[in-house]
Amino acid sequence: MTIKQLSIFIENKGGTLIKVLNLLSNANIQIIASTVADTKDYGIYRVLCDKPAQAYIILKEAGINVQLADVIALSIDDEPGRAANAIKTLSDVGISILYMYSFLWKGKGVLVFRADPAEKAKETIMLKKLTFLTEDDFA
């Protein structure tokens, strides 16, 4: 019901992002989706990839501050309003979205997010028969 996401903390200075990208590329790790949230001093580079556990080890061994987090990924139809409907379903029962990003995958929309409370989000998604994606879907 959850997938693993890398949260990579990178300094806001030249060369730090390319170092991460080169490490993943050299290990033949495919980035599926990513987003950067920045502050004045550093960025959080969130990454979904085909081999998150391997990517985590490679980055840790290179001295990069990285965490492996559980996030929810939902598959939705690629039509206007589907993301709003999915998020409203969660909001209506008091679930907060801490952060979210989206992308297209094999003709479907994908919403990736962290929710609070996470367990209630998973229960609601199952109850409403929304479609979870798993790491196998991205392998």
Side-chain angles (χ1 to χ4, degrees), residues 95-109:
I95 296 165
S96 297
I97 302 299
L98 303 176
Y99 65 81
M100 181 184 85
Y101 53 100
S102 61
F103 60 99
L104 293 175
W105 181 259
K106 299 183 179 180
K108 291 285 198 173

Side-chain angles (χ1 to χ4, degrees), residues 22 25 32-33 46 62 64 72-74 85 87 100 102 118 120 123:
N22 283 337
S25 175
I32 295 160
R46 293 186 171 110
I64 294 171
I72 296 170
L74 290 182
N85 292 344
I87 297 305
M100 181 184 85
S102 61
K120 186 174 181 181
E123 290 168 7

Side-chain angles (χ1 to χ4, degrees), residues 39-55:
T39 66
K40 182 180 176 226
D41 298 322
Y42 67 93
I44 302 172
Y45 182 41
R46 293 186 171 110
V47 175
L48 292 184
C49 65
D50 62 344
K51 299 175 233 174
Q54 181 184 348

